[in-house]
Amino acid sequence: MPAVSKGDGMRGLAVFISDIRNCKSKEAEIKRINKELANIRSKFKGDKALDGYSKKKYVCKLLFIFLLGHDIDFGHMEAVNLLSSNKYTEKQIGYLFISVLVNSNSDLIRLINNAIKNDLNSRNPTFMNLALHCIANVGSREMAEAFASEIPRILVAGDTMDSVKQSAALCLLRLNRTSPDLVPMGEWTARVVHLLNDQHLGVVTAATSLITTLAQKSPDDFKTSISLAVARLSRIVTSACIDLQDYTYYFVAAPWLSVKLLRLLQCYPPPEDAALRSRLTECLETILNKAQEPPKSKKVQHSNAKNAVLFEAISLIIHHDSEPTLLVRACNQLGQFLQHRETNLRYLALESMCTLASSEFSHEAVKTHIETVINALKTERDVSVRQRAVDLLYAMCDRSNAKQIVAEMLSYLETADYSIREEIVLKVAILAEKYAVDYTWYVDTILNLIRIAGDYVSEEVWYRVIQIVINRDDVQGYAAKTVFEALHAPACHENLVKVGGYILGEFGNLIAGDSRSSPLVQFNLLHSKFHLCSVPTRALLLSAYIKFINLFPEVKATIQDVLRSDSQLRNADVELQQRAVEYLRLSCIASTDILATVLEEMPPFPERESSILAKLKKKKGPGNLPDIDDSRRNVNGNTEHHEPTETTNKSPPSLMADLLPTNRPRPASSSPIMLSAGTMGSSHPFTDLLNLNSPPAAAPSLLVDVFSDLSAPASVEVSEDNFSRFVCKNNGVLYENQLLQIGLKSEYRQNLGRMYVFYGNKTSTQFLSFSSSVTNGDALKGQLIVHAKSVDPVIDGGAQVQQILNMECVSDFTDAPVLNIQFRYGGALQNIAVKLPVMLNKFFQPTEMTSQDFFQRWKQLGAPQQEVQKIFKSQHPMDTDVTKAKILGFGVALLDGVDPNPANFVGAGVIHTKDTQVGCLLRLEPNTQAEMYRLTLRTSRDSVSQRLCDLLSEQF
Amino acid sequence: MMRFLLLFSRQGKLRLQKWFTPMSEREKKKIIRDMTTMVLSRQPRSCNFLHWKDLKIIYKRYASLYFCLAIENQENELLALEVIHRYVELLDKYFGNVCELDIIFNFEKAYFILDEFLMGGEIQETSKQIVNRCIESSDMLQETMEEYMSKPAF
């Protein structure tokens, strides 16, 4: 036990801690703790009133036990009692206990708030500080409600002590973060800004933190802080260190305050006032100059503090992005750090340069450091530094250096740490695609990726290469040749087999003229890999084989033999077996013409944002990914890479060929039931045999299964009845009467949707002349395109047929299309019209975001017509989980921890239409006592806000 | 802002935890586990910064103790290192050549000192003199408080 026992040693506590430390095992420790807990409990319950000291000691012991990781379920009341003690240390322990073990027990909070109120009114600065600390530590909504109006008053009152001002400023900052709605701006805001002029640097530091946060939320209200901050900064930067007394840290003048002021200035664009602007430039130049001066101390604290200010100044320079000379100087400074002996500085230099690379003024200057960065990739011992080097290479990449950077990344990949391989693979794939001048290089690069790091090549990456090869006919022959050669490697990765199978299946004919890659050789090569592959790959290969039968009639017999073998026809895997059976059958019965139509070459994929990029963004979070799509591209004249997008857009994407193109050239698990539909003379033959549209696994007899998620409702006459049930879900029974049941399964991706409509004949008699079509009302025309496939005119008794509807959302819409069904049952003509549940929210993509982003966007969408609010009575029991499921089913992401009130629900998403994307934020506030909800929607379009609000408010 | 500060030993024993945003006990335990494994597995002479989720982790070892500070993405890493150092200085000044045992046996003091220095995840007072004066005067207060309180404040 150490000798230290300053102030108020608690002997009993020290003994207890010693005991715990001496415990030989976890069991012994638990035993000792339980003994102590029993002891404390009996003391607290005992008849004898405890004196303050004992109470403090026991509360402190409980705290210690809690911090060891054990649960504490009593003692809160005793801690609250300590708050009203006159003895400072007792009060202090009470507050510490409360701060650490926040309890949402509302009775207790009221008592705590009472004690806080007394201390705030005590005019004793020490007590006031304790109380303010407690509010900041707990920061609960009840506390914010109780004190949010009081604290600004304390902050700006003339007679408040400096230390209390500091606490009040930070306490207010904390409340503003947790419950911004409770901290309204007022006349105090102007006076807060003037704290930047305060004599006491501690007050200025705390106030700057507060002002920065407030200014981020409402920049206009705090504009006056710019000039004050510049003036203050200028005084610090030019001061002789001695002026600032204890605020000089290792010979650096007020580093914390300097950094905070520089941060505050980053909330604003460069000052408009010329004099102010030049004064700021002067400050920044001085900071850059100081970096070149010899250090005033050898201590690392000196260089850290100095460089902290320097890096923050560079951040401001990058943020302003307006002074070319400063940007280039910043870049040169960072260039020096790239070779500094301190690992920390190398790391930070790499990180800062990433943002510099996206400025048009400094992009070229950053590029000059490419060799150093590549060297860092090869020689740095620390993986996190190497990771930053990869990031920087990615950020500085453009058309001029793409080949070099991609080559370096590929060679680094061979030895890279496992933890970052996947990310590097994604980056290489993106750069290769983005800066590909000739696509042979792109194909080579991706095949290299698979060769070097096949395990880390995700589906997105190999899907993408196939999409690109299919969309660009100039590279197809080369791709076929290259994969053919790559497949010769003795141990090639399964991903390569997938790419190879797909590409040869489509374009093997382009190289079949060469006897070394004749059809049979190609087939044998692929088939030699077959038995080493997993089921999805085998399924893919089977599809490639049937494509071969169409491309090369000469190998038909060989392939049929393979399909016919027991290992295929009787494969234990139902998917493989089914493919083998159907493909074999198809190859036997279909004429050459039909085969050629069914197995036609894939049409081009519609161009979208690369799914790889989306994946990388998801992995890194939007903030961490240097945006290589920004303005600087224009500066470098790299506009050519729009070209592929344009060319593919010219041929309108076929909805049928690939409705969900971003991620699925071929869903491996789909079963080829649809094949027959394609061959039966539908006007749109399925060109994409391999992308079999993931039909539901239900065979016609599975009527019950398809609908099992809903108990069939009673027969209804009004065909709109079930409409609103589909707002938050995609599958279920849409309509049912004595004769017919209509079930739905639907899926949506971005602005496209596909709906499978199942018509079940409930009778034992055939339905004849069955037809169904979709009509759009006038308003809906042009907003939503629905394309219905034809459906079999006969439905046998007890059977079910399926119809596919493809949909495209062009712009936001309110009405719903109508499904018209006609058929003959026992001579009588039946007519049914059902409102199809296609609503605007189906085209939602959920968006995860941080609370900060959420509130920033919330604020941006603050125009009166953008917000729609509805207060309504709940129609169902108010169950949190059900509500959550409904909101998720509605299509938005549910954001946890955004709303200060945990009972509220907050969501975000983007509505995708062909014309535009509409960002949507929603907030649902239940009031369980009144059984009411308040729903608020904010979107960039008033019509969307209104429609979404109408749809969702019906659901609760 | 700063999100949390953890002090743990080389064996991964937690010595101090300060959370600047509300968090459930489960989340806390998960973070503590993540931090100790991540930081303790770092090679010596690596850089002091790590990315973790959307936060930056700044850590530094002083004798047998690791100080691990999580800051938000736009915050300044180098200055965060000096926040840690300043806290170590404050502990050192108070305990006199501080060691891990001081923090174990006087954990409440370690929290009080931290509270004078940081608040709500922001730096409150960077002057060592002022912080020390506060801490010392609060130690003195105990004896004088009774007398003090019997007088009206103004």
Side-chain angles (χ1 to χ4, degrees), chain A residues 84-242:
Chain A
S84 40
S85 162
N86 286 340
K87 293 215 171 90
Y88 177 69
T89 53
E90 288 168 17
K91 204 187 256 300
Q92 205 181 18
I93 294 285
Y95 273 124
L96 180 60
F97 185 93
I98 303 292
S99 303
V100 176
L101 281 105
V102 204
N103 196 315
S104 53
N105 183 328
S106 62
D107 292 343
L108 220 49
I109 287 283
R110 212 168 307 132
L111 289 172
I112 296 168
N113 279 355
N114 239 340
I116 291 176
K117 192 164 283 167
N118 287 337
D119 283 335
L120 282 184
N121 293 333
S122 71
R123 316 195 74 183
N124 172 335
T126 321
F127 287 5
M128 287 171 87
N129 277 338
L130 279 180
L132 289 168
H133 262 285
C134 183
I135 301 172
N137 274 324
V138 177
S140 72
R141 196 154 175 92
E142 287 100 326
M143 281 196 180
E145 275 164 1
F147 302 110
S149 55
E150 173 80 359
I151 297 168
R153 209 184 45 72
I154 296 177
L155 176 59
V156 296
D159 58 348
T160 305
M161 300 265 297
D162 288 334
S163 68
V164 178
K165 272 190 197 161
Q166 282 165 271
S167 306
L170 295 179
C171 186
L172 197 57
L173 167 55
R174 177 79 167 80
L175 295 186
N176 184 276
R177 280 194 180 125
T178 49
S179 317
D181 53 318
L182 294 178
V183 187
M185 301 294 160
E187 50 98 32
W188 59 274
T189 41
R191 298 173 66 181
V192 165
V193 172
H194 283 278
L195 289 177
L196 288 175
N197 274 335
D198 203 281
Q199 297 262 306
H200 189 285
L201 285 195
V203 173
V204 185
T205 310
T208 312
S209 297
L210 173 63
I211 294 166
T212 305
T213 304
L214 297 174
Q216 278 162 354
K217 289 179 181 164
S218 40
D220 288 344
D221 293 338
F222 293 89
K223 264 202 172 123
T224 45
S225 65
I226 304 175
S227 59
L228 295 177
V230 172
R232 192 92 221 189
L233 183 67
S234 162
R235 264 180 284 157
I236 297 171
V237 170
T238 54
S239 74
C241 294
I242 213 82

Side-chain angles (χ1 to χ4, degrees), chain A residues 624-815:
Chain A
N624 292 334
L625 184 66
D627 190 357
I628 55 175
D629 262 318
D630 56 32
S631 56
R632 73 160 158 91
R633 204 166 51 187
N634 305 330
V635 180
N636 300 326
N638 291 338
T639 46
E640 306 97 297
H641 39 255
H642 289 301
E643 189 200 0
T645 321
E646 281 155 18
T647 46
T648 43
N649 279 351
K650 276 176 204 151
S651 58
S654 151
L655 270 180
M656 243 96 28
D658 183 54
L659 178 65
L660 312 169
T662 42
N663 51 3
R664 311 252 125 179
R666 174 184 320 181
S669 61
S670 64
S671 66
I673 299 175
M674 307 302 302
L675 199 53
S676 51
T679 52
M680 283 176 61
S682 146
S683 57
H684 298 276
F686 274 88
T687 46
D688 179 14
L689 171 62
L690 306 176
N691 175 12
L692 291 158
N693 305 316
S694 35
S701 60
L702 293 179
L703 190 67
V704 180
D705 280 355
V706 176
F707 299 133
S708 60
D709 53 339
L710 251 201
S711 58
S715 170
V716 285
E717 293 303 318
V718 186
S719 51
E720 249 180 65
D721 269 13
N722 285 340
F723 182 81
S724 70
R725 292 182 177 218
F726 285 86
V727 170
C728 295
K729 61 176 193 167
N730 287 332
N731 306 329
V733 173
L734 176 66
Y735 177 85
E736 183 160 21
N737 64 14
Q738 292 92 334
L739 306 176
L740 177 72
Q741 185 186 48
I742 304 177
L744 291 185
K745 275 201 164 194
S746 31
E747 54 195 32
Y748 296 86
R749 203 66 53 85
Q750 301 197 326
N751 71 321
L752 301 179
R754 169 170 290 167
M755 188 177 274
Y756 301 92
V757 188
F758 299 89
Y759 303 97
N761 182 345
K762 292 170 72 180
T763 70
S764 53
T765 320
Q766 274 188 337
F767 292 167
L768 295 171
S769 319
F770 188 90
S771 75
S772 77
S773 61
V774 178
T775 47
N776 277 356
D778 284 343
L780 198 54
K781 276 182 190 143
Q783 295 175 333
L784 181 75
I785 298 172
V786 183
H787 179 268
K789 300 228 189 162
S790 58
V791 61
D792 202 330
V794 177
I795 307 180
D796 287 333
Q800 185 192 48
V801 300
Q802 167 190 311
Q803 183 180 32
I804 297 180
L805 309 179
N806 286 321
M807 290 164 292
E808 183 176 15
C809 174
V810 180
S811 63
D812 70 275
F813 60 96
T814 304
D815 290 351

Side-chain angles (χ1 to χ4, degrees), chain A residues 479-542:
Chain A
K481 182 163 166 286
T482 316
V483 291
F484 177 75
E485 280 160 11
L487 282 169
H488 276 95
C492 60
H493 194 272
E494 191 167 335
N495 278 335
L496 184 66
V497 179
K498 291 178 184 161
V499 175
Y502 202 111
I503 288 183
L504 290 181
E506 294 289 332
F507 309 114
N509 55 328
L510 299 177
I511 57 168
D514 189 326
S515 61
R516 284 164 300 178
S517 52
S518 70
L520 192 61
V521 175
Q522 286 186 39
F523 172 72
N524 286 335
L525 180 61
L526 280 180
H527 199 53
S528 69
K529 315 284 179 194
F530 187 89
H531 301 281
L532 305 169
C533 291
S534 61
V535 168
T537 309
R538 290 185 190 192
L540 185 153
L541 284 177
L542 287 179

Side-chain angles (χ1 to χ4, degrees), chain A residues 129 243 319 362 386 463 498 834 874 904:
Chain A
N129 277 338
D243 300 354
H319 170 79
S362 49
R386 291 197 296 272
Y463 286 174
K498 291 178 184 161
V834 189
S874 92
N904 294 345

Side-chain angles (χ1 to χ4, degrees), chain A residues 133 246-247 249-250 388, chain B residues 42 51 82 89 115 125 127:
Chain A
H133 262 285
D246 204 36
Y247 289 91
Y249 180 83
Y250 290 87
R388 295 286 87 78
Chain B
R42 297 276 293 167
H51 276 260
E82 296 318 299
E89 285 184 349
D115 270 352
E125 180 52 83
S127 157

Side-chain angles (χ1 to χ4, degrees), chain A residues 86 88 133 137 166-167 177 246-247 249-250 260 301 304 308 312 344 347 351 382 388 624, chain B residues 1 18 42 46-48 51 73 75-77 82 85 89 115 122 124-125 127-129 138 145:
Chain A
N86 286 340
Y88 177 69
H133 262 285
N137 274 324
Q166 282 165 271
S167 306
R177 280 194 180 125
D246 204 36
Y247 289 91
Y249 180 83
Y250 290 87
K260 293 229 171 271
Q301 283 75 29
N304 278 352
E312 206 61 51
N344 287 346
Y347 174 99
E351 192 176 58
D382 183 346
R388 295 286 87 78
N624 292 334
Chain B
M1 73 177 279
K18 180 76 184 178
R42 297 276 293 167
S46 297
C47 83
N48 296 89
H51 276 260
N73 225 318
E75 296 277 322
N76 194 307
E77 291 97 335
E82 296 318 299
H85 185 75
E89 285 184 349
D115 270 352
E122 297 289 343
Q124 175 174 220
E125 180 52 83
S127 157
K128 192 156 73 172
Q129 285 170 14
S138 74
M145 191 51 78

